[in-house]
Structures are given as C-alpha cells and as structure tokens.
Amino acid sequence: MGEAADRIVASADEGLARLLARTDAHPDADLTEAYEGRRVADVLTHLHAWHLLLEGWLADDAAGRTSAYPADGYTWATLGDLNDALEAAHRHLSYDEARAATVASHARAAALVGAMDDAALASPEAFPWLGGDRLGSVAHECLGGHYRWAQELLDRAGVPA
C-alpha cells in the first residue's frame, strides 16, 4: 500500500468508526426533513450502495471493461435520480442489516483502494472512464468523504453526536 492509499483507508476507517458509534447509539433517530423522511438505516445503505459502485467500477476496469460512471443509465446531472434508485433498492434492510452490509462493503472497497499504488490513485489518466478524475479523489468521496456527508446530515437532523 502506498502513502496515499494508506491515508485514504485510514481516514475512511476512522470516519466509519465514528459514524457507526453515532448511528448505533441512535438507530431509530428521526431524520425529519434533513434526509427527505428517510431512516438512519437509509443513510448506511446509501453509503453501502456507493461502496458497491466503487467495487463495480474497479472490477470492470480489472476485467478490461469500461465502467458506466457513475452508473448505467445515469449521469452526474441525474445524480439525484441515481441516489433515489439506490435508496429504493435497499429500503427493505433493517438497521442491523444495513450496518452489516455497510461494514462488509467498506472493508472490500478499502481493501481494493489499499491495494492500489499511489501513481494509479493520483493520475488523471490512469482510469480513462473517470473522465479525468483521479481515482484517489473518487475513492475518498465514496469512503471517508461520504462518511463526513453522513455526519453532517445527522447534524442537520439533530441526531446527538
């Protein structure tokens, strides 16, 4: 693991641990309008779904396929629709199921990122399907950056830290 991969994974591990401590303490908190009436479990399944996207992008790349980025049938302009579809796909999960899925997909995604060398993470040319984005930045956003988003969402909903 390179230095950049170490930083991304360490930040993600720390961020997820803090988030789970908070959600475990308040699994049934009312998110009110902060998350469109969704549940704490839905926060975790949102994270899980983005881990799965990251895993899929990297699996496609490893197999020599061009990934649909951000997802098949979606563009960055339709990100809200993608997030709604991801939420609907996982809405059936209980808090405990959502937590377990998130922990497992985090571990897989972090392992994939951790196995990358710093040059691949930093180069905007390393993954042409990213359209010039750096994999390190994308991985951070799907992991640690997303955990910060979740904390901020919980803050807006008034969920105690």
CSV table of all heavy atoms in Angstrom, one decimal, residues 22 26 28-40 43 149-161:
chain,number,residue,atom,x,y,z
A,22,ARG,N,-22.1,6.6,16.4
A,22,ARG,CA,-23.2,7.6,16.4
A,22,ARG,C,-24.5,6.9,16.0
A,22,ARG,O,-25.6,7.0,16.7
A,22,ARG,CB,-22.9,8.8,15.6
A,22,ARG,CG,-24.0,9.9,15.7
A,22,ARG,CD,-23.5,11.1,14.9
A,22,ARG,NE,-24.4,12.3,15.1
A,22,ARG,CZ,-24.2,13.4,14.5
A,22,ARG,NH1,-23.2,13.6,13.7
A,22,ARG,NH2,-25.0,14.4,14.7
A,26,HIS,N,-28.2,5.8,18.1
A,26,HIS,CA,-29.4,6.4,17.7
A,26,HIS,C,-30.0,5.7,16.4
A,26,HIS,O,-30.3,6.4,15.4
A,26,HIS,CB,-29.3,7.9,17.5
A,26,HIS,CG,-28.6,8.6,18.6
A,26,HIS,ND1,-29.3,8.8,19.8
A,26,HIS,CD2,-27.4,9.0,18.8
A,26,HIS,CE1,-28.5,9.4,20.6
A,26,HIS,NE2,-27.3,9.5,20.0
A,28,ASP,N,-32.8,4.6,15.5
A,28,ASP,CA,-34.2,4.9,15.2
A,28,ASP,C,-34.4,6.4,15.2
A,28,ASP,O,-35.6,6.9,15.2
A,28,ASP,CB,-35.1,4.2,16.1
A,28,ASP,CG,-35.0,2.7,16.0
A,28,ASP,OD1,-35.0,2.2,14.9
A,28,ASP,OD2,-35.0,2.0,17.1
A,29,ALA,N,-33.3,7.2,15.1
A,29,ALA,CA,-33.5,8.7,15.2
A,29,ALA,C,-34.3,9.1,14.0
A,29,ALA,O,-34.3,8.6,12.9
A,29,ALA,CB,-32.1,9.3,15.2
A,30,ASP,N,-35.1,10.2,14.3
A,30,ASP,CA,-35.9,10.8,13.3
A,30,ASP,C,-35.0,11.8,12.5
A,30,ASP,O,-34.5,12.7,13.0
A,30,ASP,CB,-37.0,11.6,14.0
A,30,ASP,CG,-38.0,12.3,13.0
A,30,ASP,OD1,-37.8,12.1,11.7
A,30,ASP,OD2,-38.9,13.0,13.4
A,31,LEU,N,-34.9,11.5,11.2
A,31,LEU,CA,-34.1,12.4,10.3
A,31,LEU,C,-34.9,13.5,9.8
A,31,LEU,O,-34.3,14.3,9.0
A,31,LEU,CB,-33.4,11.6,9.2
A,31,LEU,CG,-32.5,10.4,9.7
A,31,LEU,CD1,-31.8,9.7,8.5
A,31,LEU,CD2,-31.5,11.0,10.7
A,32,THR,N,-36.1,13.6,10.1
A,32,THR,CA,-37.0,14.7,9.7
A,32,THR,C,-36.8,15.0,8.2
A,32,THR,O,-36.6,14.1,7.4
A,32,THR,CB,-36.8,15.9,10.6
A,32,THR,OG1,-35.5,16.4,10.4
A,32,THR,CG2,-37.1,15.6,12.0
A,33,GLU,N,-36.8,16.3,7.9
A,33,GLU,CA,-36.6,16.7,6.5
A,33,GLU,C,-35.1,16.7,6.1
A,33,GLU,O,-34.9,17.0,4.9
A,33,GLU,CB,-37.2,18.1,6.3
A,33,GLU,CG,-38.8,18.1,6.5
A,33,GLU,CD,-39.4,17.0,5.6
A,33,GLU,OE1,-39.2,17.0,4.4
A,33,GLU,OE2,-40.2,16.2,6.2
A,34,ALA,N,-34.2,16.5,7.0
A,34,ALA,CA,-32.8,16.5,6.7
A,34,ALA,C,-32.5,15.5,5.6
A,34,ALA,O,-31.5,15.7,4.9
A,34,ALA,CB,-32.0,16.3,7.9
A,35,TYR,N,-33.2,14.4,5.6
A,35,TYR,CA,-33.0,13.3,4.6
A,35,TYR,C,-34.3,12.8,4.0
A,35,TYR,O,-34.5,11.7,3.9
A,35,TYR,CB,-32.1,12.2,5.3
A,35,TYR,CG,-31.4,11.3,4.2
A,35,TYR,CD1,-30.8,11.8,3.1
A,35,TYR,CD2,-31.4,9.9,4.5
A,35,TYR,CE1,-30.2,11.0,2.2
A,35,TYR,CE2,-30.7,9.1,3.6
A,35,TYR,CZ,-30.2,9.6,2.4
A,35,TYR,OH,-29.5,8.8,1.5
A,36,GLU,N,-35.1,13.8,3.7
A,36,GLU,CA,-36.4,13.5,3.0
A,36,GLU,C,-37.2,12.4,3.6
A,36,GLU,O,-37.7,11.5,3.0
A,36,GLU,CB,-36.1,13.2,1.5
A,36,GLU,CG,-35.3,14.3,0.8
A,36,GLU,CD,-34.8,13.9,-0.5
A,36,GLU,OE1,-35.0,12.8,-1.0
A,36,GLU,OE2,-34.1,14.8,-1.1
A,37,GLY,N,-37.3,12.4,5.0
A,37,GLY,CA,-38.1,11.4,5.7
A,37,GLY,C,-37.5,10.0,5.7
A,37,GLY,O,-38.2,9.1,6.1
A,38,ARG,N,-36.2,9.9,5.3
A,38,ARG,CA,-35.6,8.6,5.3
A,38,ARG,C,-35.1,8.2,6.7
A,38,ARG,O,-35.1,9.0,7.6
A,38,ARG,CB,-34.5,8.5,4.3
A,38,ARG,CG,-35.1,8.7,2.9
A,38,ARG,CD,-34.0,8.7,1.8
A,38,ARG,NE,-34.6,8.7,0.5
A,38,ARG,CZ,-34.0,9.2,-0.5
A,38,ARG,NH1,-32.8,9.7,-0.5
A,38,ARG,NH2,-34.6,9.3,-1.7
A,39,ARG,N,-34.7,7.0,6.9
A,39,ARG,CA,-34.3,6.4,8.1
A,39,ARG,C,-32.7,6.5,8.3
A,39,ARG,O,-32.0,6.6,7.3
A,39,ARG,CB,-34.7,4.9,8.2
A,39,ARG,CG,-36.1,4.7,7.9
A,39,ARG,CD,-36.4,3.2,7.6
A,39,ARG,NE,-35.6,2.7,6.5
A,39,ARG,CZ,-35.1,1.4,6.4
A,39,ARG,NH1,-35.3,0.6,7.4
A,39,ARG,NH2,-34.3,1.1,5.4
A,40,VAL,N,-32.3,6.3,9.5
A,40,VAL,CA,-30.9,6.1,9.8
A,40,VAL,C,-30.3,5.0,9.0
A,40,VAL,O,-29.2,5.1,8.4
A,40,VAL,CB,-30.6,6.0,11.3
A,40,VAL,CG1,-29.1,5.6,11.6
A,40,VAL,CG2,-31.0,7.2,12.1
A,43,VAL,N,-29.3,6.0,5.6
A,43,VAL,CA,-28.0,6.7,5.5
A,43,VAL,C,-26.9,5.6,5.2
A,43,VAL,O,-26.1,5.8,4.3
A,43,VAL,CB,-27.7,7.5,6.8
A,43,VAL,CG1,-26.3,8.1,6.7
A,43,VAL,CG2,-28.7,8.6,7.0
A,149,TRP,N,-20.2,13.4,4.9
A,149,TRP,CA,-21.5,13.8,4.5
A,149,TRP,C,-22.6,13.3,5.4
A,149,TRP,O,-23.5,14.0,5.8
A,149,TRP,CB,-21.8,13.3,3.1
A,149,TRP,CG,-23.2,13.3,2.7
A,149,TRP,CD1,-23.9,14.4,2.2
A,149,TRP,CD2,-24.1,12.2,2.7
A,149,TRP,NE1,-25.2,14.0,1.9
A,149,TRP,CE2,-25.4,12.7,2.3
A,149,TRP,CE3,-24.0,10.9,3.1
A,149,TRP,CZ2,-26.5,11.9,2.2
A,149,TRP,CZ3,-25.1,10.1,3.1
A,149,TRP,CH2,-26.3,10.6,2.6
A,150,ALA,N,-22.5,12.0,5.8
A,150,ALA,CA,-23.4,11.3,6.7
A,150,ALA,C,-23.5,12.0,8.0
A,150,ALA,O,-24.5,12.2,8.6
A,150,ALA,CB,-23.1,9.8,6.8
A,151,GLN,N,-22.3,12.3,8.6
A,151,GLN,CA,-22.2,13.0,9.9
A,151,GLN,C,-22.9,14.4,9.8
A,151,GLN,O,-23.7,14.8,10.7
A,151,GLN,CB,-20.8,13.2,10.3
A,151,GLN,CG,-20.1,11.9,10.7
A,151,GLN,CD,-20.4,11.5,12.1
A,151,GLN,OE1,-21.4,11.9,12.7
A,151,GLN,NE2,-19.6,10.5,12.6
A,152,GLU,N,-22.7,15.1,8.7
A,152,GLU,CA,-23.3,16.4,8.5
A,152,GLU,C,-24.8,16.3,8.4
A,152,GLU,O,-25.6,17.1,8.9
A,152,GLU,CB,-22.7,17.1,7.3
A,152,GLU,CG,-21.3,17.5,7.5
A,152,GLU,CD,-20.5,18.0,6.3
A,152,GLU,OE1,-21.1,17.9,5.2
A,152,GLU,OE2,-19.3,18.3,6.4
A,153,LEU,N,-25.3,15.2,7.7
A,153,LEU,CA,-26.7,15.0,7.6
A,153,LEU,C,-27.3,14.7,9.0
A,153,LEU,O,-28.4,15.3,9.3
A,153,LEU,CB,-26.9,13.8,6.7
A,153,LEU,CG,-28.4,13.5,6.3
A,153,LEU,CD1,-28.5,13.1,4.9
A,153,LEU,CD2,-28.9,12.4,7.2
A,154,LEU,N,-26.6,13.9,9.8
A,154,LEU,CA,-27.1,13.6,11.1
A,154,LEU,C,-27.1,14.9,12.0
A,154,LEU,O,-28.0,15.1,12.8
A,154,LEU,CB,-26.3,12.5,11.8
A,154,LEU,CG,-26.4,11.2,11.1
A,154,LEU,CD1,-25.4,10.2,11.8
A,154,LEU,CD2,-27.8,10.6,11.1
A,155,ASP,N,-26.1,15.8,11.8
A,155,ASP,CA,-26.1,17.0,12.5
A,155,ASP,C,-27.3,17.9,12.1
A,155,ASP,O,-28.0,18.4,13.0
A,155,ASP,CB,-24.8,17.9,12.1
A,155,ASP,CG,-23.6,17.3,12.7
A,155,ASP,OD1,-23.6,16.5,13.6
A,155,ASP,OD2,-22.5,17.8,12.2
A,156,ARG,N,-27.6,18.0,10.8
A,156,ARG,CA,-28.8,18.7,10.4
A,156,ARG,C,-30.1,18.2,10.9
A,156,ARG,O,-31.1,18.9,11.2
A,156,ARG,CB,-28.9,18.8,8.9
A,156,ARG,CG,-27.8,19.7,8.2
A,156,ARG,CD,-28.1,20.0,6.8
A,156,ARG,NE,-28.3,18.8,5.9
A,156,ARG,CZ,-27.4,18.1,5.4
A,156,ARG,NH1,-26.1,18.4,5.6
A,156,ARG,NH2,-27.7,17.0,4.6
A,157,ALA,N,-30.2,16.9,11.1
A,157,ALA,CA,-31.4,16.2,11.7
A,157,ALA,C,-31.4,16.3,13.2
A,157,ALA,O,-32.4,15.9,13.8
A,157,ALA,CB,-31.4,14.8,11.2
A,158,GLY,N,-30.4,16.8,13.8
A,158,GLY,CA,-30.4,17.0,15.3
A,158,GLY,C,-30.1,15.7,16.0
A,158,GLY,O,-30.4,15.5,17.2
A,159,VAL,N,-29.5,14.7,15.3
A,159,VAL,CA,-29.1,13.4,16.0
A,159,VAL,C,-27.9,13.7,16.9
A,159,VAL,O,-26.9,14.2,16.4
A,159,VAL,CB,-28.8,12.3,14.9
A,159,VAL,CG1,-28.3,11.1,15.6
A,159,VAL,CG2,-30.0,12.1,14.1
A,160,PRO,N,-28.0,13.4,18.2
A,160,PRO,CA,-26.8,13.7,19.1
A,160,PRO,C,-25.6,13.0,18.6
A,160,PRO,O,-25.6,11.8,18.1
A,160,PRO,CB,-27.3,13.1,20.4
A,160,PRO,CG,-28.8,13.1,20.3
A,160,PRO,CD,-29.1,12.8,18.9
A,161,ALA,N,-24.5,13.7,18.8
A,161,ALA,CA,-23.1,13.1,18.4
A,161,ALA,C,-22.7,12.2,19.5
A,161,ALA,O,-23.1,12.2,20.6
A,161,ALA,CB,-22.1,14.2,18.2
